[in-house]
Amino acid sequence: MESRTITVEGLRTRVVVEDGGVGRDPIVLIHGVGGWAETWRPVVAPLAAAGRLVVALDLPGFGESQAPGRVSYFGPEDAFYPRFVLAAMEVLGIPRAHIVGQSMGGAVAYMIAVSAPERTRSLVLVAAGGLGREVAFYLRACTLPGIGLLARLPRPKNAARDALRSCFYDAGRIPEEFYQEAVRYGNASFSEFIRAISAGVNIRGVRRPLRSALYTGPALVVWGREDFVLPLRHLADVHATLRQAQVALIDRCGHMPQAERPDEFLAATLPFLDRAEQAAAA
């Protein structure tokens, strides 16, 4: 994977690129809140090996990307996150792509597909925020008044590592490099984490505007059966907003299927991407 620095909407932005050739639609990977581009590392090379350009980006304020300042992350008008990702695609010369998002990144991917269907070849949602209301209590608690001030204080020594472990069913499957990156990126981005999560979640759960739009294009939803961050119950009404959704459930898997069970993730995702391209060509 090649790390590049580009400028998007005036912000210094890091992207990680794996170029598997030309002729197939690119893939854009969007991480979750508090995440970073390398959370997709286990699947980037196999996705690119099929002959695609694969781009994973650090959202503003996360990883090594510059923080955005005061923005309207999810709208309701001129939402920053989908606008930013589409602008990054412009800078990278990507007119249309398979849009793949995990957790909060799934909510961003969903908004891109709804607002710019002509830029979206297909949509892959991985344990995505916005399909249901329920969220783990520790995330809802991060939206309480005064938490933003506490976020400026030094975090407990193991906070980033503990947060990462909460996203896995089997913590033994977490690579050591993930722990190192969680400490390096997670602690530095915690204030942005609080601002971003508060924009999409309140103490009752996911805010309703994230759950109201309809997408009718090809969609795949991937979920770990043992996801304790966003529970499997979010899939109860998935076809109300994703008319063509296919669903892949992965056993013994938590909130980050692409990292915890990459083989199973790829077994569901690669054939779906092929089918979406074949349908478009037909």
Side-chain angles (χ1 to χ4, degrees):
M1 298 190 302
E2 175 192 354
S3 179
R4 300 179 187 173
T5 300
I6 61 177
T7 300
V8 183
E9 300 248 322
L11 299 173
R12 184 187 70 257
T13 302
R14 185 180 71 123
V15 297
V16 174
V17 177
E18 183 88 8
D19 194 347
V22 297
R24 311 290 293 275
D25 286 310
I27 301 172
V28 173
L29 304 172
I30 309 170
H31 64 74
V33 64
W36 56 94
E38 284 86 356
T39 57
W40 298 99
R41 183 190 292 109
V43 300
V44 166
L47 289 172
R52 298 182 177 96
L53 172 69
V54 179
V55 176
L57 51 81
D58 285 341
L59 288 173
F62 298 104
E64 296 179 9
S65 289
Q66 183 180 352
R70 299 180 68 87
V71 295
S72 180
Y73 295 92
F74 298 104
E77 297 181 1
D78 194 27
F80 172 73
Y81 274 148
R83 188 181 79 232
F84 177 87
V85 175
L86 288 168
M89 290 169 60
E90 288 283 353
V91 172
L92 294 165
I94 300 174
R96 180 179 57 243
H98 301 282
I99 309 296
V100 183
Q102 185 261 337
S103 194
M104 185 191 77
V108 177
Y110 188 88
M111 296 178 74
I112 292 169
V114 170
S115 62
E118 73 284 357
R119 307 288 302 278
T120 307
R121 173 59 76 210
S122 74
L123 175 65
V124 180
L125 301 180
V126 186
L131 293 181
R133 188 174 183 88
E134 187 175 351
V135 183
F137 176 75
Y138 77 89
L139 291 177
R140 289 183 282 124
C142 287
T143 70
L144 292 171
I147 296 296
L149 294 176
L150 293 177
R152 300 176 186 177
L153 301 176
R155 299 183 75 196
K157 182 178 180 180
N158 291 322
R161 297 172 67 92
D162 291 343
L164 180 63
R165 279 194 290 269
S166 74
C167 294
F168 281 70
Y169 170 70
D170 180 2
R173 299 182 70 90
I174 303 176
E176 180 56 34
E177 58 196 357
F178 267 38
Y179 280 124
Q180 295 170 3
E181 290 162 352
V183 172
R184 182 163 71 249
Y185 296 138
N187 289 336
S189 67
F190 188 58
S191 292
E192 186 65 20
F193 170 93
I194 295 298
R195 287 189 287 269
I197 198 71
S198 297
V201 173
N202 58 31
I203 194 62
R204 292 182 295 274
V206 176
R207 297 179 186 273
R208 183 166 296 277
L210 296 183
R211 301 181 289 121
S212 59
L214 175 67
Y215 174 68
T216 58
L220 172 67
V221 180
V222 182
W223 222 284
R225 288 189 184 274
E226 288 75 31
D227 188 338
F228 302 116
V229 178
L230 296 177
L232 199 58
R233 290 188 293 276
H234 282 220
L235 291 177
D237 299 319
V238 64
H239 291 104
T241 49
L242 294 166
R243 293 279 175 83
Q244 297 189 46
Q246 303 170 39
V247 178
L249 304 181
I250 300 178
D251 294 326
R252 300 179 62 81
C253 181
H255 190 54
M256 298 178 68
Q258 80 279 12
E260 185 167 9
R261 295 286 178 181
D263 291 342
E264 292 87 340
F265 173 86
L266 291 165
T269 303
L270 286 171
F272 167 78
L273 300 179
D274 289 341
R275 290 192 298 269
E277 292 179 2
Q278 290 164 7

